[in-house]
C-alpha cells in the first residue's frame, strides 16, 4: 500500500509485469513499423515514463517528440476544450504512433487523433499503457494496449492524483 495525498492505493501491476508487457508491445510495433522510421508522439505529462521505457525497447530507427493538450476558451463537438501545443515536427507522410499513459473516456485521445490527422501523416496509431474499456465514450481504435483495467482510479508509472504519485515504478489502484 502507498499513500498519495489523502488517499491509499494498492499495487495492481508490478514493475516486472509492466516491463514484460512493454517488451511485447515493442515487438508488435517493430513488426508493423520497424522498417518505416516511425515518429512517436508522447503526450505530456503522464506519458513521460511509459514513453521513455517504450522508446528504449525499440531496436530500430525511430524518433520521438512531445506534445501537451492545453485548455483554451471555447468548445468543440466532443465537449473538450483543449489545444495541441508543442508539436515541433512535420508529420506529413510520417508513420506516427501516439504514446499515452491512460485512455479513460477516450475524449482526449479522440481529439488529439483528429488534430494530428489534419496534418496528413502516412499512418497514425495509438499506444497506451492502460485502458478502461468500460469508461470509453467515443469510437476509438487503440492499436497497442498495455493493460485493460476496470473503471478504477490509478496512480504511479506516470499517472497522478492531483499532480502527485507519478514517480512509482509500479501501477497502483485506489483502495476502497
Ligand atoms: P480521457 O477521459 O480518456 O480523456 O482521459 C483524460 C486524462 O485523464 C488522461 O490523460 C489522464 O491524465 C487522466 N486520467 C484518466 N483516468 C485516470 C486515472 O485512473 N488516474 C490518473 N489519471 C487519469
Ligand atoms: Mg494524460
Amino acid at each position: 500500500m502507498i499513500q498519495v495525498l489523502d488517499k491509499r492505493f494498492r499495487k495492481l501491476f508490478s514493475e516486472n509485469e509492466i516491463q514484460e508487457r512493454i517488451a511485447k508491445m515493442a515487438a508488435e510495433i517493430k513488426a508493423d513499423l520497424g522498417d518505416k522510421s516511425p515518429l512517436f508522439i508522447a503526450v505530456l505529462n503522464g506519458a513521460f515514463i511509459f514513453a521513455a521505457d517504450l522508446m528504449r525497447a525499440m531496436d530500430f530507427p525511430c524518433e520521438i517528440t512531445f506534445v501537451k493538450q492545453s485548455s483554451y476558451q471555447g468548445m468543440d463537438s466532443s465537449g473538450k476544450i483543449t489545444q495541441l501545443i508543442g508539436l515541433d515536427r512535420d508529420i506529413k507522410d510520417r508513420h506516427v504512433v501516439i504514446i499515452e499513459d491512460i485512455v479513460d473516456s477516450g475524449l482526449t485521445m479522440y481529439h488529439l487523433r483528429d488534430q494530428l490527422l489534419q496534418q496528413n501523416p502516412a499512418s497514425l496509431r495509438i499506444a497506451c499503457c492502460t485502458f478502461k474499456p468500460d469508461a470509453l465514450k467515443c469510437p476509438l481504435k487503440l492499436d497497442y494496449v498495455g493493460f485493460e483495467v476496470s473503471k478504477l482510479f490509478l496512480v504511479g508509472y506516470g499517472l497522478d492524483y492531483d499532480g502527485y504519485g507519478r514517480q512509482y515504478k509500479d501501477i497502483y489502484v485506489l483502495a476502497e
Side-chain angles (χ1 to χ4, degrees):
M1 295 283 276
I2 56 162
Q3 177 94 24
V4 180
L5 299 176
D6 61 335
K7 293 194 165 48
R8 288 169 70 73
F9 294 82
R10 66 176 166 79
K11 198 178 282 187
L12 186 62
F13 302 114
S14 71
E15 182 183 1
N16 263 348
E17 286 174 274
I18 297 169
Q19 296 306 327
E20 274 174 28
R21 191 65 201 88
I22 284 176
K24 287 191 180 126
M25 195 184 286
E28 291 171 43
I29 295 174
K30 183 178 184 178
D32 294 340
L33 298 169
D35 58 352
K36 299 198 161 62
S37 295
L39 171 65
F40 295 103
I41 299 184
V43 186
L44 294 174
N45 294 327
F48 77 116
I49 292 177
F50 174 51
D53 283 344
L54 189 62
M55 178 90 180
R56 282 180 289 186
M58 303 293 165
D59 58 355
F60 55 86
C62 56
E63 290 185 271
I64 190 165
T65 191
F66 299 86
V67 296
K68 205 164 179 158
Q69 295 280 100
S70 89
S71 297
Y72 71 98
Q73 296 302 312
M75 236 194 229
D76 79 346
S77 54
S78 72
K80 269 279 161 182
I81 41 167
T82 58
Q83 183 177 30
L84 180 62
I85 57 169
L87 188 63
D88 60 353
R89 219 61 67 85
D90 186 7
I91 66 164
K92 188 174 182 312
D93 301 328
R94 292 295 303 267
H95 292 274
V96 173
V97 182
I98 303 172
I99 302 181
E100 179 60 301
D101 53 355
I102 190 162
V103 172
D104 187 74
S105 71
L107 293 172
T108 304
M109 190 49 66
Y110 189 79
H111 193 67
L112 175 60
R113 189 177 166 277
D114 211 53
Q115 287 168 312
L116 293 176
L117 281 175
Q118 287 169 20
Q119 299 186 33
N120 299 311
S123 68
L124 183 59
R125 290 176 170 81
I126 300 172
C128 64
C129 184
T130 51
F131 171 44
K132 300 181 191 172
D134 300 337
L136 196 65
K137 286 194 186 125
C138 50
L140 193 66
K141 177 178 160 273
L142 302 174
D143 302 274
Y144 313 105
V145 176
F147 301 96
E148 287 197 1
V149 294
S150 54
K151 273 171 137 176
L152 296 167
F153 193 77
L154 310 179
V155 294
Y157 201 64
L159 293 161
D160 70 299
Y161 166 46
D162 246 354
Y164 289 84
R166 294 193 197 272
Q167 72 270 42
Y168 295 100
K169 293 184 175 75
D170 313 287
I171 294 174
Y172 292 80
V173 61
L174 184 64
E176 275 134 323

